[in-house]
Amino acid sequence: MLVEKIYLSFYIQAIIIVASYMIFNGVYTGELHNSLLDTSGGEVFVLMLGSILSFIIAYYLYKVTIRKKIVYKKFTFKLNLTAFANFYFILLIASFIFMITTGVGVVLSHATSPYSLIFNFLNVSVIFPIFYFLLRESKEISKKYFFLIVAIFILYKLLQGWSGIILTIFIFELYFFYRNKHISKVKKIALIIFLPLLSILIGAKLYQEIYPIKNEIRGLGYHQIEYTDGLVKLVNRLTSFPISVGAYSKIDEIGEFYKEEGVFLKESVGTFRPVAPRAVMENKEFRSLNNNVLQPFFYNITTFTSSQIGILMYIANLFNASL
């Protein structure tokens, strides 16, 4: 499908832009932007090729499973889309009020609430893609109702301090726009190469304007950024490559931090942390591997944050930490 290849091209071009910036400027980007690059340009280039190759392999494995119909179809059920939309609308409004009144969920906020468990379990951000794809072209609800819910969700994420939802919805819309279009092979190649590139370049300008507003919401003040900064910050939303490079360069230090707390099967136990009550899991303050990755760069970092490092680097670091 054309749109799948456009998505793949988005991620590949994002990795190339970020890696090129890191190599030519000798600095990390994204969360590690204040750190000097301590990995050679050649190693960054090899890691870039590895990341691109992993995306391509994952894409073709996906295509094989679809083509061979490797799916599980034992159970089927019918979902009442109108009831689902109404449920999501009520949950979204409740989550919105909960965030506004408690501060829980806002970026850089350490606010807590005894009701956090409920809203973590019924996370509107996790349900949103399901809602969007089920109801975007459904006749079960009106378009006005659908776009009202989407607008409220965008406002909810912006007030949390996240602007990435705009990019997410843009990518969703590409799927609906191109999925049934019949286009010549030449035009397909042009779209796969140039649509992601143009979207990134135009999106960088928009991000340049949105970024200061987002920071003001987070309480960090209003600071205008240059176009290049907007470009790099935007593509960092599409890839975890800079963190992967950091995880590669500090793999031994990360392993030491991981072992420091002495929690048995820490990563497995950590998956239950958001939903397990304190009575069952007394110690919830231990760090995950995705948090340990940041410790060599930010020695005083709290336990409340983590970073995605990509599946390959995650496996490599987990294996090294387990030795």
Side-chain angles (χ1 to χ4, degrees):
M1 187 182 289
L2 173 62
V3 71
E4 294 168 353
K5 293 176 181 176
I6 291 173
Y7 288 162
L8 182 63
S9 180
F10 256 115
Y11 290 111
I12 290 175
Q13 291 189 45
I15 291 171
I16 292 172
I17 291 171
V18 168
S20 300
Y21 185 89
M22 290 170 62
I23 291 170
F24 288 112
N25 291 279
V27 294
Y28 285 99
T29 63
E31 294 174 80
L32 308 182
H33 68 278
N34 289 323
S35 302
L36 292 176
L37 187 65
D38 51 0
T39 304
S40 71
E43 289 175 298
V44 174
F45 182 76
V46 171
L47 290 170
M48 179 192 75
L49 294 180
S51 295
I52 292 172
L53 184 61
S54 68
F55 270 110
I56 294 172
I57 291 172
Y59 170 71
Y60 281 102
L61 284 175
Y62 159 76
K63 295 298 288 184
V64 167
T65 60
I66 296 298
R67 192 177 301 117
K68 300 294 184 181
K69 299 186 183 301
I70 306 174
V71 293
Y72 189 68
K73 293 186 176 179
K74 186 174 180 179
F75 298 105
T76 59
F77 67 93
K78 185 176 181 180
L79 180 66
N80 185 321
L81 293 180
T82 303
F84 175 65
N86 291 335
F87 165 76
Y88 187 74
F89 176 70
I90 294 169
L91 180 62
L92 179 58
I93 295 298
S95 300
F96 199 113
I97 294 171
F98 178 71
M99 177 198 62
I100 293 295
T101 56
T102 66
V104 174
V106 177
V107 175
L108 302 180
S109 170
H110 300 315
T112 60
S113 168
Y115 302 106
S116 295
L117 174 64
I118 299 171
F119 290 98
N120 284 337
F121 186 73
L122 298 171
N123 192 318
V124 290
S125 297
V126 174
I127 303 173
F128 180 74
I130 301 171
F131 163 81
Y132 201 96
F133 278 89
L134 286 178
L135 289 154
R136 175 64 177 85
E137 295 183 339
S138 172
K139 308 274 186 203
E140 299 286 325
I141 65 171
S142 70
K143 291 297 180 187
K144 288 182 179 179
Y145 188 30
F146 173 81
F147 286 115
L148 172 65
I149 294 173
V150 171
I152 294 172
F153 182 76
I154 291 173
L155 181 60
Y156 170 74
K157 296 304 291 183
L158 290 175
L159 290 177
Q160 280 188 318
W162 298 111
S163 59
I165 184 58
I166 298 172
L167 177 62
T168 300
I169 291 176
F170 172 73
I171 292 173
F172 288 173
E173 283 300 308
L174 281 180
Y175 168 79
F176 290 103
F177 187 77
Y178 284 109
R179 63 173 177 164
N180 295 320
K181 287 194 177 293
H182 300 287
I183 302 172
S184 68
K185 188 173 182 180
V186 174
K187 288 183 178 178
K188 281 183 179 179
I189 294 172
L191 280 171
I192 290 169
I193 296 173
F194 294 109
L195 179 60
L197 181 59
L198 287 174
S199 299
I200 288 171
L201 295 177
I202 295 170
K205 181 60 181 175
L206 294 174
Y207 198 80
Q208 181 187 6
E209 304 302 325
I210 292 172
Y211 186 78
I213 300 172
K214 179 179 74 172
N215 272 355
E216 192 166 27
I217 291 171
R218 293 180 175 186
L220 300 176
Y222 188 96
H223 304 289
Q224 193 65 48
I225 59 174
E226 298 295 328
Y227 175 80
T228 305
D229 295 324
L231 174 63
V232 174
K233 289 180 185 298
L234 175 65
V235 292
N236 272 313
R237 311 290 305 194
L238 295 170
T239 176
S240 59
F241 182 73
I243 298 290
S244 295
V245 175
Y248 164 80
S249 68
K250 305 289 187 183
I251 190 167
D252 290 329
E253 289 181 59
I254 293 166
E256 293 302 316
F257 281 121
Y258 182 86
K259 297 171 186 175
E260 211 171 63
E261 294 172 307
V263 178
F264 182 65
L265 295 177
K266 185 163 70 167
E267 289 299 282
S268 299
V269 173
T271 59
F272 300 99
R273 182 162 42 186
V275 296
R278 182 72 68 172
V280 175
M281 185 183 292
E282 292 184 8
N283 177 19
K284 289 190 174 188
E285 282 67 47
F286 60 87
R287 299 174 184 270
S288 65
L289 178 60
N290 286 342
N291 180 271
N292 293 139
V293 166
L294 297 173
Q295 284 186 277
F297 299 95
F298 310 101
Y299 289 105
N300 296 320
I301 195 167
T302 69
T303 61
F304 298 102
T305 187
S306 63
S307 288
Q308 298 300 318
I309 58 176
I311 186 64
L312 296 180
M313 203 53 64
Y314 178 84
I315 292 171
N317 273 268
L318 186 60
F319 177 77
N320 181 70
S322 302
L323 294 178

